[in-house]
Amino acid sequence: MSLRQRLTQLAGRLQEPQKVARFQRLCGVELFYILFFPFWIWNLDALVGRRLVVIWVLVMYLGQCTKDVIRWPRPASPPVVKLEVFYNSEYSMPSTHAMSGTAIPIAMVLLTYGRWQYPLIYGLILIPCWCSLVCLSRIYMGMHSILDIIAGFLYTILILIIFYPFVDLIDNFNQTHKYAPLIIIGLHLALGIFSFTLDTWSTSRGDTAEILGSGAGIACGSHVTYNMGLILDPSLDILPLARPPITMTLCGKAILRILIGMVFVLIVRDIMKKITIPLACKIFNIPCDDVRKARQHMEVELPYRYITYGMVGFSITFFVPYIFFFIGIS
């Protein structure tokens, strides 16, 4: 075998772990969330989907704010080889990817076991597999140290122990309280403004506003949906729920809901993005020639992210289910 062939073969072997790592880190980026939560709400169990969002928003918000308070830098390069640079401007401790990768599978099992009929062993297998894939990928990509990962994991366990008992209360409040939308919008906006005062601009500030906006939109949409009777949760008398038989009709409707819903959500996101950034720049007299530079101002980044993803969340729990109801695929 020639030297060139050996080098080509070695490069191919090196790319395989990178592909796996890229797949693993998808469990912590927008593409994953914008598919995962709607799939739960539209196709599986709206109650579980809503409460997963509540837990995700809480865990990610506390994680992002803690990063800006501790202010530990990313691992130095060299010696670390960084295969990802998008989040390099953020701080490192704790790993919010590890926090999300820990919180979501644990919350899924906590929310579904006893509500749905399935062996607990399935959940006990899911949790370490999901968590380890996400956490190890962050080390492989050169974005976190082992200490960051361990801290994120333990921090998430602590948050779940303290706040999980209140998730049911929060979800019921979001749906039934008369003034829930005003309180939700005001609280999430206040949390966003507070987080923006913790440190200078980084991608974490935009992510925080995006998370809070999504959570507020989904909560407000669930309030309207509940009061209009579009999505009704199953009665407690019929729990635990049995898995429906998998048929062509069931799969066809699920695929149709995802396709129609995601097209609508992405259109809403693009429209709101094109509206909010120029409007915020005009209101606060900030030059809009360089959008990236303009978004480094809190006056632009916060309303852009919060309003845009607030509408995305509202679409997921209200507009899209209303479309499903109207065309008969709900």
Side-chain angles (χ1 to χ4, degrees), residues 45-98:
D45 190 330
L47 180 143
V48 174
R50 295 193 310 267
R51 295 181 182 185
L52 278 173
V53 171
V54 171
I55 293 169
W56 171 70
V57 170
L58 178 64
V59 167
M60 292 297 289
Y61 178 76
L62 291 175
Q64 295 283 25
C65 288
T66 304
K67 275 186 177 182
D68 289 338
V69 171
I70 297 177
R71 301 182 182 181
W72 282 19
R74 297 282 186 183
S77 176
V80 172
V81 178
K82 294 188 177 181
L83 303 179
E84 179 185 74
V85 295
F86 180 77
Y87 293 104
N88 205 40
S89 62
E90 294 183 16
Y91 295 114
S92 184
M93 168 69 78
S95 167
T96 47
H97 279 79

Side-chain angles (χ1 to χ4, degrees), residues 271-281 303-305 307-308:
I271 291 174
M272 295 307 300
K273 182 177 180 180
K274 291 178 180 178
I275 293 174
T276 52
I277 294 177
L279 183 61
C281 290
Y304 150 58
R305 296 275 193 165
I307 295 173
T308 298

